Amino acid sequence: MLNTIYKEGLFDGKKALVTGGGTGIGLRIARELAILGAEVVIASRKLANLEKGVSKITGEGGKAIALECNVRNEDSIETCVKEAIDKMGGIDFLVNNAGGQFPSPAEAINTKGWNAVIETNLSGTFHMSRHVFNAVMQQNGGAIVNIIADMWNGFPMMSHTGAARAGVDNLTKTLAVEWGRKGVRVNSVAPGLIHSSGLDSYAPEFKQYIMAAGKNNQANRMGTEEEVAAAVVYLLSPAAAYITGETLKVDAGESLYSPLFPPSDHDKLPPYKDPEN
């Protein structure tokens, strides 16, 4: 059974759509929502991962449905949203977690690679949000949380995703203002370096670099999927009913790092991590 710090039944009767929900942070978010009572649709391009995710959630007593969706394709997004509404009867929460990037110096990124990352992280977030708003939230209200990144001081070796995530940060503010009158809250979560299964998608040398950089924060460690999911759950919960247009940084001060006053080596801020995972 998944452990959670939140109240049992917090999201009873709620319907959630989580993109990129088959693995990593997205799956952890979906599991957390489901164990708290929400019915969840997890969506991504890889059906095999989705099926494993659904099995994990249902095995913990939650309700979940898998839908294939390519957030780079607007027709796929439209179909996903329609099917999610048909199967669940609505969408109260949208978590735009789907994303993708690859490490590269800016001068080596070609047009195809640049467009792929922008389409996935920025355009995909916009189109998914727009379709969900037009289909259901415009009438019924709801809450949206976008997952971005620590790009506040630039994003060396990741200029494409840095630009896209900065765009989503601004999009979050804009949609919060435009859609607030319809009862829709829009916020973002900006994780720092997180110890997630997504790390395995990088080359060993780049993964090693990330692991080393993971101590450049006040907790002296990488974050956990559970810590990101807990922030998302908070922003979707009634406790955040008066919060919109904000980005919550989950990075232990990584975005404040200064070589003039570097973090110390300590273990006094232990991770929030489910011992059963």
Side-chain angles (χ1 to χ4, degrees):
M1 176 65 71
L2 177 144
N3 291 320
T4 177
I5 65 170
Y6 289 97
K7 182 181 178 181
E8 183 179 351
L10 178 63
F11 294 134
D12 281 354
K14 298 297 185 180
K15 321 291 185 180
L17 171 57
V18 181
T19 68
T23 59
I25 292 171
L27 177 56
R28 176 65 203 201
I29 293 168
R31 291 171 63 198
E32 190 95 14
L33 293 174
I35 205 67
L36 292 171
E39 185 174 355
V40 182
V41 165
I42 55 174
S44 75
R45 292 184 297 117
K46 297 181 179 180
L47 184 58
N49 288 339
L50 293 173
E51 290 174 342
K52 291 178 183 177
V54 167
S55 178
K56 185 81 170 176
I57 292 169
T58 56
E60 294 168 341
K63 296 180 180 179
I65 302 166
L67 289 179
E68 286 187 272
C69 182
N70 179 1
V71 298
R72 291 176 59 190
N73 183 303
E74 192 175 352
D75 289 339
S76 181
I77 289 173
E78 185 175 12
T79 299
C80 175
V81 171
K82 184 179 184 303
E83 290 186 6
I85 293 171
D86 288 345
K87 292 179 182 296
M88 294 193 299
I91 299 174
D92 300 293
F93 305 142
L94 169 63
V95 180
N96 284 306
N97 171 74
Q101 54 273 318
F102 54 90
S104 175
E107 67 271 18
I109 300 175
N110 61 26
T111 299
K112 181 179 179 181
W114 175 268
N115 287 342
V117 173
I118 297 299
E119 288 167 5
T120 301
N121 297 297
L122 177 56
S123 300
T125 295
F126 169 70
H127 290 303
M128 180 61 75
S129 299
R130 179 172 62 87
H131 278 284
V132 169
F133 176 79
N134 287 334
V136 65
M137 287 189 178
Q138 182 172 208
Q139 292 77 34
N140 302 325
I144 298 173
V145 175
N146 303 316
I147 306 299
I148 57 172
D150 176 17
M151 42 63 197
W152 313 103
N153 299 311
F155 210 153
M157 295 296 290
M158 291 279 194
S159 59
H160 42 19
T161 199
R165 308 291 188 162
V168 175
D169 178 62
N170 189 270
L171 178 66
T172 296
K173 295 175 174 63
T174 300
L175 297 184
V177 173
E178 290 193 15
W179 294 352
R181 66 189 67 188
K182 298 295 185 179
V184 179
R185 295 187 300 108
V186 188
N187 292 291
S188 289
V189 167
L193 293 176
I194 305 298
H195 199 285
S196 171
S197 59
L199 284 173
D200 295 333
S201 64
Y202 296 124
E205 60 273 15
F206 192 71
K207 181 178 178 180
Q208 185 177 7
Y209 163 77
I210 292 176
M211 297 291 284
K215 291 194 171 186
N216 289 336
N217 59 67
Q218 300 307 317
N220 190 47
R221 61 173 174 83
M222 296 183 74
T224 67
E225 294 177 356
E226 290 87 342
E227 288 166 327
V228 179
V232 173
V233 171
Y234 165 67
L235 288 173
L236 293 174
S237 78
Y242 206 53
I243 300 174
T244 194
E246 293 298 323
T247 293
L248 175 57
K249 298 174 182 176
V250 183
D251 67 1
E254 178 185 319
S255 52
L256 302 175
Y257 173 81
S258 169
L260 297 177
F261 204 88
S264 64
D265 187 3
H266 71 89
D267 58 1
K268 296 177 181 177
L269 293 171
Y272 166 53
K273 185 173 176 61
D274 188 342
E276 299 181 12
N277 200 25

